[in-house]
Amino acid sequence: MQQYAEAHRLKFQTIRADQEEELSVEEVLDITTNWKDNIIHGLKMDDVLWHEDYQTTPYYTNKPDWDALNALLLYISAKYTNQEVPKTIERNINIYEHPIVKEFLEIKDFQVSLFDGSSWWIPIKRNIMFNSVLPNDEKCTLATSYLLLAELERYNRFEWNEDEETIISWQKNEGYGDDYNTESLAKFAFSILWQAAKFSLGNGTVILFDY
């Protein structure tokens, strides 16, 4: 919506519930830069990809929405537990209560940021996930874009084994239909997350879910 407004010279403003007093651009930049520097210092990083130069760094705004993300989690869970993938997925489902997903979470012996509570991925070339705080001091589980991309590459090798051109095409050729097909929605979400992870590492930007 913001991109549309900018392209058509329209005024755009995001209003969220319980919005606090608006900060200036300079104040927000100072807070986020300090937050970034604290994380970089805590991880003892030297080679840093992360940028907060909002005036020059491009940004990526595509998202799969929750039903497609849930379809991807269900698809992955079914494949790893050798179960048949449900043909369709219920809208607005609590995916963590689905029996196939619950079984996967009980038996998995590896870390999965998409399942284990992360909703922020920071542009750092390490396969790590850790507890931290956000710029507003809320506690959060953080992972890296490098870890997210590694997870997605593992899923692709395990199941589809497709090249990048095909994966990118899923954003246009797969997705939402009348029947909410699980595999089609899973491919749609996978494509967007794949591109987001690549973009994050290529441009030094943070990935976060839009709640």
Side-chain angles (χ1 to χ4, degrees), residues 5 35 59-60 68 79 82 90 107 133 139 141 163 165 172 180 201 211:
W35 174 67
Y59 55 92
Y60 179 87
K79 289 297 181 177
N82 295 314
E90 179 185 344
I107 67 172
V133 294
K139 294 181 180 179
T141 299
D163 59 27
E165 182 179 357
K172 294 183 178 179
Y180 268 47
L201 293 170
Y211 287 100

Side-chain angles (χ1 to χ4, degrees), residues 81-118:
T81 54
N82 295 314
Q83 298 186 60
E84 183 177 352
V85 177
K87 183 176 180 180
T88 60
I89 187 169
E90 179 185 344
R91 302 183 188 193
N92 301 318
I93 188 175
N94 181 352
I95 196 63
Y96 292 98
E97 292 301 318
H98 195 289
I100 293 177
V101 175
K102 290 176 72 173
E103 180 176 344
F104 170 68
L105 293 176
E106 289 173 359
I107 67 172
K108 77 177 181 68
D109 57 358
F110 53 90
Q111 193 175 50
V112 190
S113 67
L114 280 173
F115 285 90
D116 292 339
S118 178

Side-chain angles (χ1 to χ4, degrees), residues 22 24 59 71 108 112 124 153 167-168 182 195 197 201 204-205:
E22 186 173 345
S24 68
Y59 55 92
K108 77 177 181 68
V112 190
I124 289 177
E153 289 176 338
I167 292 171
I168 292 174
T182 303
Q195 293 177 75
L201 293 170
T205 57

